[in-house]
Amino acid sequence: MAVRLGVIADDFTGGTDIASFLVANGMKTVQLSGVQPLHAIPQGTEAIVVSLKSRSNPVAEAIEQSLQALDLLRQAGARQIYFKYCSTFDSTAQGNIGPVTDALLKALDTDFTVICPALPVNGRTTYQGHLFVNGVPLDESSMRDHPVTPMRDSSLVRLMDTQAQGNTGLVPYETVEAGAAQVARALRDCRAGGRRYAVLDALNQTHLDTLGEAVKDLPLVTGGSGLGGAIAKAHRSDDAGAAASFTPHAGPGVILSGSCSAATNEQVAAYRTQAPALPVDVDRLMSSPSGYDQEVLDWFAAQDAQGPAPLIYATAGPDEVSRLQRYYGAAASSDAIEQFFARIASDLVSRGVQRVVVAGGETSGAVTQALDVDGFQVGPGIAPGVPWVRSLDGRIDLALKSGNFGGVNFFADSQQVRGA
């Protein structure tokens, strides 16, 4: 198997995100749910994405999972490793981005890599080492009060220096504007100067394309899906054309929303005016859950099977999220919601649901694991970074959406691409 690129994604939506960019740029890609046997990989696969649930795990656990994924990708013969994290650099002062990067560098016996979460098509840009979300510094965006990974600094240099073992340099946009050769020279200078990482500025797709050319031969690259797509473009052959052709199943669908991001709150509010919608009673779920799953399933069964996919959501605003966390604890409430959606998804698929849209990285991981999906074929896109994917056994289609991705009508848009 000649696998050009092996990707370790720190959550499931991040895995589908980068897989969609690799496919769009001509790389035949398979996404795996965790570390799975390689015998399921189709011939001709050029990239393998291993989707983990390691973004907010304890550091040691995240490192262990990532190294297991690295071993699998090495078995597949991957020539380059890509550590994919969120375009908003979701992490805490302890990690997990820095510690996992250090562990991968050590395992690959190399001493230098780049940091590039920029994804301009979704409003994520980097200027002078600072990360911006739709023109607003990261620490002033809605990510400032994220319930799991609150981001209180926009400087990627400081963030890496805080949570990683080495020192961080910068390749500013002026150098990127000068072209791939100048970027490559700046990277050599960073490395020669004792830097272990270099943050890469990127304000537009042209910058990403330049960076993809400059780093296409580094043993380890870290970043968001934008740089991954640019690397795929840099390797693309003239006969490239990997876009999957399947059309999502025409059968019943459901939308499960666990994300509490600002974007998902807007998407839920919009879709509630167009389709049946049921808010999750988190207090009931935490205090007296007996029989609650069945009540939700009965509500779903009562909806019009020919109508738009019903929405079941735990999405809430910052005040409600804070209340739940204070009363029940952040970890306990988040875990209860994730496991609730996992059970509901499993029950609905067993009853004939064929299309599942999931909002939220942690929720997507829990749902995918509950559905016992080993891997995916990547299909048509709904929004940048959010494709439909089909389980390799063909039984279920999923759209796994990162909380902040997609326009306000994303849930309605996901219903437009369907089989006859």
Side-chain angles (χ1 to χ4, degrees):
M1 183 183 301
V3 175
R4 185 181 294 277
L5 186 65
V7 179
I8 301 168
D10 68 357
D11 80 344
F12 281 76
T13 57
T16 55
D17 175 16
I18 193 167
S20 70
F21 278 86
L22 297 178
V23 167
N25 285 285
M27 226 173 228
K28 297 177 181 177
T29 304
V30 166
Q31 180 183 353
L32 300 180
S33 303
V35 179
Q36 301 289 341
L38 289 171
H39 59 72
I41 306 300
Q43 289 297 316
T45 298
E46 297 173 285
I48 299 175
V49 178
V50 180
S51 299
L52 304 177
K53 195 172 180 291
S54 61
R55 177 169 297 173
S56 56
N57 291 17
V59 170
E61 191 174 296
I63 290 173
E64 181 182 7
Q65 289 185 19
S66 301
L67 292 178
Q68 290 173 351
L70 175 62
D71 287 343
L72 178 76
L73 294 170
R74 282 172 144 178
Q75 291 175 34
R79 304 174 199 169
Q80 184 178 45
I81 300 299
Y82 196 103
F83 173 36
K84 195 276 176 192
Y85 39 76
C86 188
S87 60
T88 47
F89 208 74
D90 297 18
S91 56
T92 66
Q94 294 74 40
N96 291 337
I97 294 173
V100 169
T101 298
D102 286 331
L104 294 173
L105 283 169
K106 181 178 179 180
L108 290 166
D109 195 26
T110 189
D111 60 1
F112 181 79
T113 189
V114 297
I115 309 296
C116 186
L119 185 59
V121 70
N122 277 346
R124 278 65 163 165
T125 55
T126 308
Y127 174 72
Q128 297 300 330
H130 287 260
L131 184 57
F132 291 78
V133 179
N134 295 318
V136 177
L138 178 66
D139 57 328
E140 298 177 23
S141 74
S142 61
M143 285 300 298
R144 175 177 175 81
D145 297 314
H146 190 282
V148 180
T149 53
M151 302 305 296
R152 303 297 171 83
D153 195 347
S154 67
S155 171
L156 296 173
V157 172
R158 283 196 296 265
L159 288 168
M160 278 302 288
D161 282 348
T162 298
Q163 61 180 262
Q165 295 175 0
N167 295 320
T168 310
L170 171 66
V171 179
Y173 90 101
E174 295 94 342
T175 302
V176 181
E177 285 274 342
Q182 291 298 319
V183 172
R185 183 175 293 111
L187 295 178
R188 290 195 295 271
D189 290 344
C190 278
R191 190 173 189 175
R195 306 294 188 183
R196 189 171 172 85
Y197 332 96
V199 172
L200 307 179
D201 274 0
L203 300 176
N204 52 52
Q205 184 60 48
T206 300
H207 288 164
L208 285 180
D209 291 343
T210 296
L211 295 172
E213 183 65 34
V215 304
K216 67 179 182 180
D217 295 319
L218 276 181
L220 174 68
V221 175
T222 86
S225 56
L227 183 58
I231 290 174
K233 183 184 293 186
H235 286 301
R236 185 163 56 192
S237 61
D238 292 338
D239 61 351
S245 59
F246 77 79
T247 299
H249 290 304
V254 66
I255 299 172
L256 306 175
S257 182
S259 169
C260 290
S261 71
T264 304
N265 269 280
E266 293 178 353
Q267 291 159 353
V268 166
Y271 195 68
R272 285 174 55 193
T273 68
Q274 306 170 47
L278 180 70
V280 177
D281 187 340
V282 180
D283 290 303
R284 167 80 184 278
L285 187 63
M286 298 298 297
S287 59
S288 55
S290 178
Y292 184 59
D293 286 13
Q294 188 58 52
E295 292 176 21
V296 173
L297 294 170
D298 289 344
W299 173 86
F300 181 89
Q303 307 311 311
D304 181 3
Q306 303 304 313
L311 165 67
I312 303 171
Y313 66 97
T315 299
D319 291 344
E320 176 64 7
V321 171
S322 296
R323 182 190 73 83
L324 293 170
Q325 291 182 338
R326 286 195 307 270
Y327 197 79
Y328 300 110
S333 55
S334 294
D335 184 67
I337 292 168
E338 290 167 22
Q339 294 310 311
F340 163 77
F341 278 124
R343 295 191 303 272
I344 292 298
S346 182
D347 283 341
L348 289 176
V349 168
S350 71
R351 299 177 185 206
V353 166
Q354 295 182 311
R355 294 175 293 111
V356 182
V357 178
V358 190
E362 300 297 320
T363 307
S364 293
V367 166
T368 304
Q369 290 175 341
L371 293 177
D372 197 26
V373 175
D374 293 338
F376 307 104
Q377 176 188 4
V378 181
I382 303 168
V386 193
W388 278 107
V389 296
R390 173 166 293 170
S391 58
L392 291 177
D393 60 12
R395 63 189 171 91
I396 183 72
D397 294 339
L398 298 104
L400 307 175
K401 186 190 87 72
S402 177
N404 283 305
F405 279 18
V408 67
N409 291 313
F410 173 83
F411 293 137
D413 292 343
S414 72
Q415 306 305 300
Q416 303 306 310
V417 186
R418 296 176 56 176

